[in-house]
């Protein structure tokens, strides 16, 4: 059975750093692009970042470009999001999600992990 | 960036009636080389992760009830629920995956009248 389990969320102050993880199982992790999507309290979904199946290409939303880094370890079936210089507006539930391949929809999502940035 | 705009922002429909949600993209998401629209619809219920309903604008994901259908091309798309059930109460999002950054519409909250 397919599973995506996020971890690493928490409460931290503005300017801080945090690394989220997403452990994958039940599918061939190394064959799929992986994404981070977030939802701020009371707001809609915001796509954050994409990493291609082999980690060679990475893409970011303008709102996180230069502050967040997406990465993956295919030997550990794990996706990461390194978040630096955090701001209050980064407060959100962060979901990891997989696509099927190439430019394709997000066909399976994890349950999400909450990140709260507050002084 | 491609901007996705949904209408309406919220919608109340009686059980058994039709619900229609619209999505407009700021530029075409139709890829001419394969004639595919890079447009998906998701359902998001409180406390759950989003769920893929429709992709390529009109292809239903496996296991999605056939009361859900998608239509449209290029810049204008529609999600239709033919006969609303109580379990369909959720927020619905369109998303383009034609190019990065992938972008979502602002969401449409669907309720029972």
């Amino acid at each position: 059975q397919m599973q995506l389990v996020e971890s690493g969320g928490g409460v931290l102050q503005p300017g801080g750093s945090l690394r989220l993880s997403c452990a994958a199982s039940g599918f061939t992790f190394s064959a799929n692009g992986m994404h981070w999507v977030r939802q701020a309290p009371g707001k809609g979904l915001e796509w954050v970042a994409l990493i291609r199946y082999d980690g060679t290409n990475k893409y970011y939303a303008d709102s996180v470009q230069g502050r967040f880094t997406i990465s993956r370890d295919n030997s550990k079936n794990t996706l990461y999001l390194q978040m630096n210089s955090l701001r209050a507006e980064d407060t959100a539930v962060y979901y990891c999600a997989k696509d099927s391949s190439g430019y394709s929809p997000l066909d399976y999502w994890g349950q999400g992990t909450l990140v709260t940035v507050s002084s | 960036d491609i901007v996705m705009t949904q209408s309406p922002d919220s919608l109340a429909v009686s059980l058994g009636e039709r619900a229609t949600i619209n999505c407009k993209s700021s530029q075409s998401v139709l890829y001419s080389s394969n004639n595919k629209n890079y447009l998906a619809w998701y359902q998001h219920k409180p406390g759950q992760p989003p769920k893929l309903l429709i992709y390529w604008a009109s292809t239903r994901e496996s296991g999605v009830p056939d009361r859900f259908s998608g239509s449209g091309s290029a810049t204008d798309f529609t999600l239709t629920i033919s006969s609303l059930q109580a379990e369909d109460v959720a927020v619905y999002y369109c998303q383009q995956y034609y190019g990065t950054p992938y972008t979502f519409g602002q969401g449409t909250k669907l309720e029972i009248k």
Side-chain angles (χ1 to χ4, degrees):
Chain A
Q1 179 158 347
M2 210 177 299
Q3 267 202 313
L4 292 171
V5 180
E6 301 94 336
S7 60
V11 180
L12 65 163
Q13 293 187 336
S17 297
L18 199 63
R19 189 177 82 157
L20 304 182
S21 299
C22 171
S25 60
F27 64 99
T28 306
F29 180 73
S30 59
N32 297 94
M34 295 296 297
H35 304 249
W36 289 100
V37 176
R38 68 184 180 182
Q39 183 178 35
K43 304 293 185 182
L45 299 176
E46 180 187 15
W47 179 86
V48 172
L50 158 64
I51 185 167
R52 294 296 186 202
Y53 69 100
D54 58 0
T56 54
N57 292 299
K58 306 174 185 182
Y59 307 90
Y60 299 93
D62 294 344
S63 58
V64 306
Q65 180 78 49
R67 299 187 300 123
F68 290 12
T69 301
I70 189 171
S71 63
R72 65 191 297 160
D73 185 337
N74 286 346
S75 68
K76 295 182 178 179
N77 288 351
T78 303
L79 173 73
Y80 303 101
L81 186 67
Q82 177 67 44
M83 304 187 294
N84 298 331
S85 303
L86 282 160
R87 306 165 180 167
E89 54 265 36
D90 295 317
T91 294
V93 174
Y94 285 75
Y95 297 97
C96 66
K98 63 173 284 293
D99 65 33
S100 46
S101 67
Y103 286 88
S104 61
L106 282 60
D107 59 10
Y108 191 78
W109 301 57
Q111 292 291 325
T113 187
L114 176 62
V115 173
T116 303
V117 184
S118 173
S119 54
Chain B
D1 298 0
I2 300 175
V3 177
M4 308 300 290
T5 304
Q6 292 180 225
S7 62
D9 290 335
S10 63
L11 182 62
V13 174
S14 300
L15 289 172
E17 295 300 305
R18 178 185 300 262
T20 301
I21 300 170
N22 300 300
C23 174
K24 190 174 186 66
S25 58
S26 61
Q27 65 187 74
S28 175
V29 298
L30 174 62
Y31 192 39
S32 56
S33 67
N34 60 10
N35 201 37
K36 286 186 173 183
N37 288 283
Y38 285 59
L39 188 285
W41 289 96
Y42 300 87
Q43 177 190 65
H44 194 194
K45 297 180 180 180
Q48 298 183 20
K51 175 186 174 183
L52 175 65
L53 295 176
I54 303 282
Y55 57 98
W56 304 130
S58 60
T59 301
R60 208 177 298 115
E61 174 74 330
S62 176
V64 172
D66 60 7
R67 64 180 181 273
F68 290 91
S69 63
S71 62
S73 186
T75 62
D76 291 278
F77 302 92
T78 300
L79 173 70
T80 301
I81 307 173
S82 60
S83 176
L84 188 71
Q85 305 299 303
E87 61 264 32
D88 300 335
V89 169
V91 180
Y92 292 84
Y93 295 90
C94 61
Q95 183 210 23
Q96 65 80 19
Y97 48 98
Y98 182 88
T100 55
Y102 289 6
T103 42
F104 290 92
Q106 79 276 18
T108 295
K109 185 175 184 179
L110 178 59
E111 299 173 313
I112 305 294
K113 185 186 293 184

